[in-house]
Amino acid sequence: NPNYALFKSSPGDRVTYTINDFSHINSNHLDYFKFVGRVIAKAIYDNKLLECYFTRSFYKHILAKSVKHQDMESEDYEFYKGLDFLLENKVADLGYDLTFSTEIQEFGVTEVRDLIPNGRNIVVN
């Protein structure tokens, strides 16, 4: 149910689901995720097929495996290509003023969030 804002269709294929970026607007989202996790675990335990599919990175999170940038290819190809480009090129040579922070837009408000402590003041080399 999209009204719960828990999951969204993956932009890569529109068949698989991933965590909704705005799931935190639902005050009970963590309880709902816990419940969904238990339903999935019960289905796996009972050897039942669920007719819903999640992205590779979602399954890796469930299995406590590390997510690599290649896992993004099936989710959001443009994002993956951007990551791949950054890995293949020296960031300093590109002329970008990149820091370890990102700008998030939520409900019309733009906020800078650090990806690491004090990230907005640390330049990516």
Side-chain angles (χ1 to χ4, degrees):
N1 184 342
N3 292 330
Y4 291 113
L6 297 177
F7 298 98
K8 65 179 181 178
S9 296
S10 174
D13 60 17
R14 301 275 183 218
V15 176
T16 57
Y17 291 94
T18 189
I19 301 293
N20 190 328
D21 301 332
F22 297 110
S23 64
H24 66 279
I25 64 170
N26 182 331
S27 61
N28 295 323
H29 72 287
L30 296 178
D31 292 329
Y32 287 134
F33 281 129
K34 187 175 184 178
F35 174 73
V36 169
R38 288 180 174 174
V39 169
I40 293 170
K42 178 73 168 139
I44 292 170
Y45 181 78
D46 290 341
N47 201 24
K48 299 293 182 189
L49 178 65
L50 294 175
E51 293 195 27
C52 63
Y53 306 97
F54 297 102
T55 58
R56 184 182 317 155
S57 64
F58 184 81
Y59 287 124
K60 283 189 166 186
H61 279 290
I62 290 174
L63 297 171
K65 303 276 185 186
S66 62
V67 177
K68 299 186 179 358
H69 88 280
Q70 293 92 342
D71 298 325
M72 298 296 113
E73 183 176 12
S74 62
E75 292 185 40
D76 188 338
Y77 187 72
E78 292 300 317
F79 181 70
Y80 162 75
K81 290 304 290 178
L83 291 175
D84 206 39
F85 179 81
L86 289 174
L87 287 171
E88 292 177 3
N89 297 284
K90 291 185 178 182
V91 176
D93 295 344
L94 299 174
Y96 299 138
D97 293 326
L98 296 177
T99 61
F100 287 95
S101 64
T102 188
E103 289 186 358
I104 304 291
Q105 286 191 342
E106 292 180 336
F107 308 110
V109 177
T110 303
E111 176 185 349
V112 176
R113 292 189 187 163
D114 291 332
L115 301 174
I116 60 173
N118 198 30
R120 67 189 73 193
N121 298 318
I122 301 172
V123 177
V124 176
N125 293 323

